[in-house]
Amino acid sequence: MAVAYNVMSARCPSRVVLHRIGARWTVFVVNALEDGPLRFTALAERIEGVTPKVLTETLRAMEEDGLLARVEYAEQPPRVEYGLTDLGRSLLVPLRAVREWAESHVPEILEARERAQAAREN
């Protein structure tokens, strides 16, 4: 019998999973790796605004969670690439839907923020 998980329960391990998926930079890393593995510098360039420290922490956490694989090549100079695992690739569909929703609703969100700001100022 399968274990029933409930993200609304404070002690449910599914909260850890949801936290990883919802972490600020995870979404960007998954999207950046959609077309295949990238080196660290290419990832940093593709994900504008992420610091090297935060990107390193995000990549380590995603690797630990099985969402991406870090591959080291025995070359000179050394080369390391990061790519999505099958588990990580399975996030592309739901994250693509969230991304499309966000990009298509920018005007409404900005208008709502402007109304809220105007209400605070009055």
Side-chain angles (χ1 to χ4, degrees):
M1 184 166 139
V3 175
Y5 295 105
N6 177 1
V7 75
M8 301 306 286
S9 175
R11 292 195 172 124
C12 185
S14 63
R15 281 199 175 189
V16 174
V17 175
L18 194 57
H19 177 72
R20 169 60 45 228
I21 295 167
R24 180 173 183 187
W25 296 105
T26 299
V27 173
F28 297 105
V29 170
V30 171
N31 278 291
L33 294 173
E34 179 176 10
D35 295 328
L38 292 172
R39 295 176 76 170
F40 185 90
T41 53
L43 264 172
E45 289 171 3
R46 186 165 293 176
I47 306 170
E48 296 179 11
V50 67
T51 65
K53 178 182 183 286
V54 171
L55 181 55
T56 297
E57 291 169 352
T58 302
L59 293 171
R60 285 180 182 159
M62 290 178 68
E63 182 180 15
E64 186 175 293
D65 290 342
L67 300 175
L68 65 79
R70 179 181 187 272
V71 179
E72 294 182 47
Y73 295 91
E75 300 174 349
Q76 283 302 330
R79 179 170 60 108
V80 175
E81 288 184 341
Y82 299 90
L84 295 174
T85 61
D86 289 342
L87 183 62
R89 292 197 73 72
S90 74
L91 275 173
L92 287 168
V93 172
L95 291 182
R96 188 175 299 122
V98 170
R99 176 182 179 176
E100 289 171 2
W101 184 93
E103 291 173 346
S104 68
H105 288 85
V106 169
E108 293 102 325
I109 299 296
L110 294 178
E111 289 170 13
R113 286 183 176 187
E114 288 175 12
R115 286 192 304 272
Q117 179 67 31
R120 282 192 298 273
E121 291 173 356
N122 291 330

